[in-house]
Every structure is written in C-alpha cells, then in structure tokens.
Amino acid sequence: MSEPESGPSQQAAGQSTPAPPSAPRSRSQWTVHREWPVYENPWVDVLMADVELGDGTRFEHHVVRTREAASCVVTRTAAGREEVLLIWRHRFAIDKWVWEIPSGLIEEGEDPADTARREVEEETGWRVSEVTPLLGFHPVGGMLRTQYRLFRAHGAEYIGEPTEENEAEKVAWVPLDEVLGLIDAGQIATSSSLVGLLRVLAERK
C-alpha cells in the first residue's frame, strides 16, 4: 500500500508554505509614495508627488488640481439647418481668439447640470430648460487632476443680454456644418468645446 500524500497538516513543524507568486508589476502604472502641497488657493492647487515607475525609476512630479467644470452644447434647428450656440472670446493664457461653448466652474454643492444651465444663461443670454449628460473627461491626464462634465440641450429661449459682461465679445448661432471648418482653422481650440462639439457631430452620422 502506498503512503498517503502529505498535506499541510502533515508537513514538518517549522516548514513554511511557499508564498504564491506575486502579480507582475505593471510597466505603465505609477506608484505614488506620497504627495504634498506646494501652493494652494480656492482656484488651483499645485502638488508635488513622489512617484515610482514600473522599472523602479523614482522621481518627483508636479500635479495641478483645479475645481471641476461643466459645459453645455446647445443646439437648435432654424430655417431647416442645425445650429449651435457659441461665444467668441479671447483666452489670455494662450493669447488666442476662439469660439467656445458656454462653460464654468461647478460651485460647492452645486449639481453639474445646474452649472451647465446657469453658464448658458449668464454667458449668452439664452435660457435652456432641460440638459442631458453628454460625457465627462479629464483634459490633461498626465498632470491635471480635474474632471470636465459636458451636457447637451436642444433649443433655448432668449431672455436678454448676457449678465457676464466680460465673458464674450459676441454670441452667435453657428451652423453645425461649419464647425469642422472652424476647428481646422484653429478657431475652436479649447478642450471642452472640441470634445463636446465633436461628440455631437459624431452622433449625427
């Protein structure tokens, strides 16, 4: 008769069980050992992170944290064509005139959908009643820690001049068929507007 195979309870005292093999380390996922603030204010925080790459390389990396924002793509059909509500404004950080969709920071405790509706009214003078979520995205995933939330509205009611007097040089309903040409010309160039408008154009196909 053969002897029974030894199990864990039959192993010699003091003999350790081999540890299971560890999962292979990701080559692209960074390990954050610690993080600390360098500069903070109500609008933007600059952080420093002690990070390690998959190959063991370790260094310090900046992280910029900002408040989340909400934007809205407002469209309508007029004279048989689809149009989108845009504002023409100058962005000093890039020293560029651009067309943008209405956007703004989400106030503490505010529903992002309410932010989107509020910004449309304040920046354009047009009021939307219902907005639906379009998508959310992270504009610069390698350094910027924030999320932008995009919404969609169909139709709007004109209620008067914009209350945000310093936001836009002009407000216009632009044919959706002209949006790709404005992107190619560099006149639509900021992230929320690009992502939102391209998503709406993709849904038309």
Side-chain angles (χ1 to χ4, degrees):
M1 178 182 296
S2 61
E3 296 183 357
E5 295 181 1
S6 61
S9 61
Q10 296 172 303
Q11 291 180 351
Q15 183 177 351
S16 61
T17 302
S22 59
R25 183 171 179 175
S26 169
R27 291 180 296 174
S28 63
Q29 184 175 5
W30 295 11
T31 299
V32 181
H33 293 283
R34 68 187 187 100
E35 196 174 84
W36 63 97
V38 175
Y39 170 81
E40 295 178 303
N41 75 16
W43 301 94
V44 62
D45 300 332
V46 179
L47 312 173
M48 187 70 75
D50 176 7
V51 299
E52 183 178 349
L53 305 185
D55 64 1
T57 303
R58 190 165 172 172
F59 57 94
E60 293 179 350
H61 191 280
H62 285 90
V63 177
V64 179
R65 180 174 58 202
T66 66
R67 290 161 54 189
E68 295 188 354
S71 308
C72 191
V73 181
V74 185
T75 58
R76 71 176 184 183
T77 300
R81 69 180 185 181
E82 286 187 278
E83 299 175 332
V84 61
L85 184 61
L86 300 178
I87 62 175
W88 178 249
R89 66 176 303 169
H90 183 263
R91 287 296 190 182
F92 85 94
I94 56 176
D95 192 19
K96 190 177 183 68
W97 286 93
V98 290
W99 287 104
E100 291 186 347
I101 60 176
S103 306
L105 296 176
I106 301 171
E107 300 294 342
E108 185 175 355
E110 186 177 32
D111 187 295
D114 292 335
T115 304
R117 281 190 290 265
R118 174 175 57 79
E119 291 296 335
V120 170
E121 187 170 324
E122 291 177 354
E123 294 185 355
T124 71
W126 290 80
R127 176 177 293 167
V128 296
S129 55
E130 297 294 330
V131 298
T132 57
L134 194 59
L135 73 144
F137 73 100
H138 303 279
V140 186
M143 182 176 289
L144 183 60
R145 184 177 296 163
T146 192
Q147 184 175 21
Y148 291 176
R149 302 174 185 271
L150 296 178
F151 294 84
R152 176 82 184 272
H154 297 274
E157 174 191 2
Y158 182 71
I159 60 170
E161 292 296 313
T163 56
E164 290 285 351
E165 298 179 353
N166 298 316
E167 289 287 343
E169 194 75 11
K170 61 182 176 180
V171 177
W173 288 96
V174 176
L176 269 175
D177 289 337
E178 296 180 8
V179 165
L180 284 180
L182 293 172
I183 293 174
D184 290 341
Q187 293 185 29
I188 298 175
T190 52
S191 61
S192 289
S193 299
L194 283 169
V195 173
L197 290 168
L198 288 172
R199 171 62 182 269
V200 168
L201 288 175
E203 290 180 348
R204 297 175 78 197
K205 297 180 179 179

